[in-house]
Amino acid sequence: MERVVQFTGPRQVEIATGESLPLPPGHLRVRTLYSGISAGTELTAYRGTNPYLTRTWDPEARIFRDAGPGISYPVAGWGYSEVGEVVEVSPELAGTPELPRPGELVWGIWGHRGEGLVPAERMIGHALPTGLAPIAGAFARVGAIAYNAVLAADIHLGEDVAVFGQGVIGLLTTRLAELSGARVTAVDALDSRLAKAAEYGAARTLNARTDAVAERIREATGGLGADVAIEISGAHPALHEAIRSVTVGGRVVASGFYQGDGVGLRLGDEFHHNRVQLVSSQIGGLPPQLAGRWSVDRLQRTFLRLVADGHVDVKSLVSHVVPVADAAEAYVLLDERPADALQVVLEF
């Protein structure tokens, strides 16, 4: 019996059940062990604020059109951070190089469902690295999002980098920026997350509610400001403060998923007067200067290798492992009590 987590309306979650489907040619059947919940993008569908619910994305023109919703409720299997065991491989795929075999653990994207029927090309090279705890594989995608933001930041050894937002992806961004040679200032509104950021390599931490963040960063950098700021919380006021925090000609990487109008973002102020570079980072693609050498799949595989080699700790980011039957409670936790959770993982 197949189980799928679906949103039937804003803040409405149910577990749908059905019979397992036959395996199509060119696919693998993967039985899910763990599936990580995204506290950013995924909650926009849960809350009903995702732009796809009100407008249609035109993939050729690459713009949203006011032509009605591109998706509608129920929204099924939204997740993008899964780990599972291969249980069946389509016979004609036998001998495909780097294709996982039955019994192997794999990571990938097939949504919050008990089993995934995944095209073989999306599973090439996706066997879990030797020695890695299965639950760590649920961080491949979120780790790649953080990695992509750090690559977009173009950090150089010894530079000052401010990371705004210290949720799961923000903490991973802090760690990867520190590994890249940066002196990191971590910014968040929760002291518990700032304490975790210090564990992940932040040289200093600032509370967005109680500290004058931009002023403090400029004081710590001899009046210059940070070389780079990475904004990963998705809050417009945080993006504005990131712009205020960088030096003349500095770079701000906007990696959050911003919702609605940009209330709190004033582009006529420091952005204009300091000629700040504003760069978007989104996991659908790479920084243009790296697109010839890097791919999203390389981001994911490299991140998991860093975890397997002990350079990045992800297990301590798992705050809750929730049986899939209790998925609705997991979303309420992330939506209403974010201070009580980091990475919430569904267990199948």
Side-chain angles (χ1 to χ4, degrees):
M1 185 69 70
E2 167 73 308
R3 294 173 294 171
V4 182
V5 178
Q6 63 179 16
F7 306 139
T8 56
R11 292 181 167 87
Q12 298 174 26
V13 181
E14 70 173 27
I15 310 301
T17 59
E19 298 296 328
S20 294
L21 298 174
L23 183 68
H27 285 65
L28 286 72
R29 187 187 306 275
V30 184
R31 184 175 61 221
T32 308
L33 298 176
Y34 300 105
S35 185
I37 296 178
S38 160
T41 303
E42 195 172 335
L43 283 189
T44 67
Y46 170 76
R47 292 167 175 157
T49 63
N50 191 284
Y52 284 91
L53 291 167
T54 56
R55 288 174 289 162
T56 298
W57 173 248
D58 184 333
E60 294 185 3
R62 297 199 65 79
I63 58 173
F64 279 96
R65 299 189 185 277
D66 294 325
I71 61 174
S72 58
Y73 293 112
V75 178
W78 188 267
Y80 58 70
S81 300
E82 285 69 58
V83 181
E85 179 185 357
V86 177
V87 294
E88 186 180 2
V89 178
S90 190
E92 78 279 1
L93 296 173
T96 302
E98 291 195 80
L99 187 69
R101 295 170 294 184
E104 287 194 272
L105 297 184
V106 294
W107 54 273
I109 300 173
W110 55 87
H112 298 314
R113 58 185 77 246
E115 66 175 33
L117 305 181
V118 190
E121 62 268 20
R122 285 169 44 193
M123 287 286 97
I124 298 292
H126 279 221
L128 203 67
T130 301
L132 199 61
I135 203 168
F139 287 84
R141 189 70 168 183
V142 292
I145 294 169
Y147 206 152
N148 207 27
V150 169
L151 292 181
D154 191 25
I155 296 168
H156 300 90
L157 185 65
E159 288 189 325
D160 282 286
V161 175
V163 179
F164 287 74
Q166 295 297 308
V168 171
I169 299 178
L171 287 165
L172 294 175
T173 301
T174 290
R175 177 60 180 153
L176 293 173
E178 193 266 341
L179 285 175
S180 301
R183 183 169 58 174
V184 179
T185 297
V187 183
D188 200 275
L190 298 174
D191 287 333
S192 59
R193 293 187 177 181
L194 293 174
K196 194 70 175 178
E199 295 178 20
Y200 270 60
R204 66 178 71 90
T205 61
L206 296 173
N207 188 302
R209 296 187 189 278
T210 58
D211 290 316
V213 173
E215 289 83 350
R216 291 282 303 279
I217 289 175
R218 291 183 179 280
E219 289 169 5
T221 55
L224 294 176
D227 297 285
V228 179
I230 300 173
E231 204 302 297
I232 209 150
S233 73
H236 290 105
L239 180 59
H240 181 70
E241 198 66 11
I243 290 170
R244 295 187 71 230
S245 299
V246 296
T247 188
V248 174
R251 173 173 293 196
V252 174
V253 177
S255 191
F257 190 14
Y258 305 93
Q259 302 293 295
D261 296 330
V263 177
L265 177 63
R266 300 188 296 276
L267 297 181
D269 294 3
E270 291 82 4
F271 174 74
H272 179 74
H273 288 80
N274 288 331
R275 304 183 301 282
V276 173
Q277 303 174 44
L278 183 59
V279 177
S280 174
S281 175
Q282 197 268 349
I283 195 59
L286 279 296
Q289 67 273 22
L290 299 177
R293 296 187 287 115
W294 281 81
S295 66
V296 173
D297 200 54
R298 182 180 176 185
L299 282 175
Q300 296 174 132
R301 293 169 73 167
T302 305
F303 177 78
L304 284 184
R305 188 172 72 241
L306 289 170
V307 176
D309 291 345
H311 297 298
V312 181
D313 167 38
V314 296
K315 290 173 65 177
S316 69
L317 296 179
V318 178
S319 61
H320 296 76
V321 178
V322 179
V324 69
D326 299 328
E329 297 175 17
Y331 287 98
V332 171
L333 169 67
L334 287 169
D335 183 36
E336 299 181 3
R337 305 190 307 278
D340 296 338
L342 279 174
Q343 181 63 61
V344 178
V345 177
L346 298 177
E347 183 175 26
F348 285 79

